[in-house]
């Protein structure tokens, strides 16, 4: 649960800070097996590990994206969530 890691009180607090406090810190890799149609795609992400430093949570994330035309990509990245409150 990301709420206690960022020292927030509720998931609603997280939703308030989410967009302005979320950063891609590093893209480890991205593999496209077929190009993805950016006008209509979906993705799934898995949080593999969470590390905390001060008021920032770093999330090691792996994920994949696909579209209805058969486009597909896989990625892994380090994502940062900063509690600026």
């Amino acid at each position: 649960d990301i709420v206690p890691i960022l020292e927030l009180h509720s998931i609603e607090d997280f939703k308030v800070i989410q967009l302005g406090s979320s950063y891609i810190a590093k893209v480890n890799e991205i593999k496209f097996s077929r190009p993805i149609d950016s006008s209509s795609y979906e993705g799934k992400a898995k949080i593999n590990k969470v590390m905390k430093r001060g008021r920032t949570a770093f999330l090691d994330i792996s994920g994949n994206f696909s579209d209805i035309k058969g486009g597909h990509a896989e990625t892994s990245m380090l994502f940062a969530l900063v509690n600026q409150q």
Side-chain angles (χ1 to χ4, degrees), residues 1-19 47 81 85:
D1 189 1
I2 201 69
V3 171
I5 292 170
L6 290 176
E7 300 173 13
L8 299 171
H9 299 289
S10 67
I11 194 68
E12 287 75 26
D13 289 345
F14 173 70
K15 289 177 182 177
V16 169
I17 70 161
Q18 180 181 4
L19 289 178
I47 300 172
L81 292 170
Q85 295 182 345

Side-chain angles (χ1 to χ4, degrees), residues 13-42:
D13 289 345
F14 173 70
K15 289 177 182 177
V16 169
I17 70 161
Q18 180 181 4
L19 289 178
S21 301
S22 302
Y23 306 93
I24 296 174
K26 180 180 178 184
V27 175
N28 297 318
E29 74 175 325
I30 187 164
K31 296 179 190 175
F32 286 89
S33 57
R34 292 193 63 196
I36 293 177
D37 179 359
S38 62
S39 67
S40 178
Y41 68 94
E42 64 179 34

Side-chain angles (χ1 to χ4, degrees), residues 1-8 50-52 54-59 83:
D1 189 1
I2 201 69
V3 171
I5 292 170
L6 290 176
E7 300 173 13
L8 299 171
V50 177
M51 302 150 281
K52 186 176 178 198
R55 296 180 65 80
T56 303
F58 293 94
L59 289 71
N83 182 349

Side-chain angles (χ1 to χ4, degrees), residues 64-76:
N64 61 67
F65 302 89
S66 60
D67 64 27
I68 60 172
K69 297 178 183 176
H72 184 80
E74 294 181 8
T75 187
S76 67

